[in-house]
Amino acid sequence: MGSAPVSDPVYVADTVTTTVKILVVGHFAVGKTTFVGTLSEIRPLRTEETMTRAGELVDDLAGAPDKTTTTVAMDFGRLTLSDSLVLYLFGAPGQKRFTRLWEDMLHGALGALVLADTRRLDHSFDIMGLLEEHGVPYAVAVNHFEGAPVFPEADIREALDLLPETPLVTCDAREATSSAGALISLVEYLQTRTLGER
């Protein structure tokens, strides 16, 4: 069976020799679905469902009062970085009740991009702790929200207790250039770690 033409964006080009699994993680309502959808070159897979009254008891809508849907399994997208390298983006649901799913998604992941919100930085701790527990390297991207406070990078690093080498960038998950920059910071960090282990 022959492969699809390279011009067909649904299929991976014949020249691709490396595919990498990257997780896009973060707390509830931080912009993971938007981020994956913004960067994906294919129609992203989304498992969003309408939020119900039952969720009001467990989903903290502080900072996201207009949110009406939530991811219940994962988001999936694909981004070709070069003729030989493709990233598969897996967005994880943000609620703590999905911890088991997060752990399953960690298998085979080269790294993770943690999206954070300056209005709720403390909500990032569980996610970062899980990544550290499983030895998955990560970068942090502070997603820009209208009206959210802006802090110096040093203050955010201190608040999140980041290691000096952990990349910290800002982005707008709605903008492709901004989102790509955040993802590139993670990929460059992963490359640096790989070279350092040789």
Side-chain angles (χ1 to χ4, degrees), residues 7-191:
S7 61
D8 188 335
V10 173
Y11 297 94
V12 174
D14 290 337
T15 58
V16 172
T17 57
T18 306
T19 58
V20 176
K21 179 181 181 181
I22 298 291
L23 301 183
V24 178
V25 297
H27 58 75
F28 175 68
V30 76
K32 301 174 297 294
T33 298
T34 301
F35 186 93
V36 171
T38 296
L39 286 181
S40 183
E41 65 197 16
I42 59 173
R43 182 179 173 195
L45 167 70
R46 292 186 171 135
T47 58
E48 286 204 306
E49 293 294 334
T50 301
M51 296 176 64
T52 64
R53 286 182 162 263
E56 291 177 2
L57 301 174
V58 291
D59 295 332
D60 182 4
L61 290 176
D66 298 327
K67 187 166 177 65
T68 59
T69 62
T70 187
T71 300
V72 295
M74 70 172 182
D75 300 307
F76 174 78
R78 187 186 78 209
L79 180 62
T80 300
L81 288 189
S82 70
D83 289 341
S84 61
L85 176 62
V86 167
L87 301 183
Y88 290 120
L89 306 175
F90 289 79
Q95 296 93 320
K96 194 168 183 176
R97 64 181 178 273
F98 292 111
T99 300
R100 179 59 193 262
L101 179 59
W102 300 343
E103 292 173 340
D104 290 342
M105 290 177 71
L106 289 171
H107 294 288
L110 189 63
L113 183 67
V114 178
L115 292 185
D117 179 349
T118 57
R119 298 168 297 182
R120 300 173 287 166
L121 285 177
D122 58 318
H123 290 136
S124 300
F125 295 146
D126 288 339
I127 306 287
M128 294 187 317
L130 186 66
L131 293 171
E132 291 168 3
E133 180 183 326
H134 288 270
V136 176
Y138 62 88
V140 176
V142 175
N143 191 13
H144 174 73
F145 288 93
E146 296 297 329
V150 177
F151 299 107
E153 179 180 325
D155 291 353
I156 296 174
R157 282 190 166 280
E158 182 177 353
L160 293 175
D161 194 25
L162 296 180
L163 295 173
E165 63 269 20
T166 302
L168 173 64
V169 297
T170 58
C171 75
D172 185 332
R174 302 166 297 181
E175 297 179 3
T177 301
S178 177
S179 296
L183 197 57
I184 288 168
S185 72
L186 170 63
V187 172
E188 289 175 343
Y189 175 54
L190 296 175
Q191 288 176 327

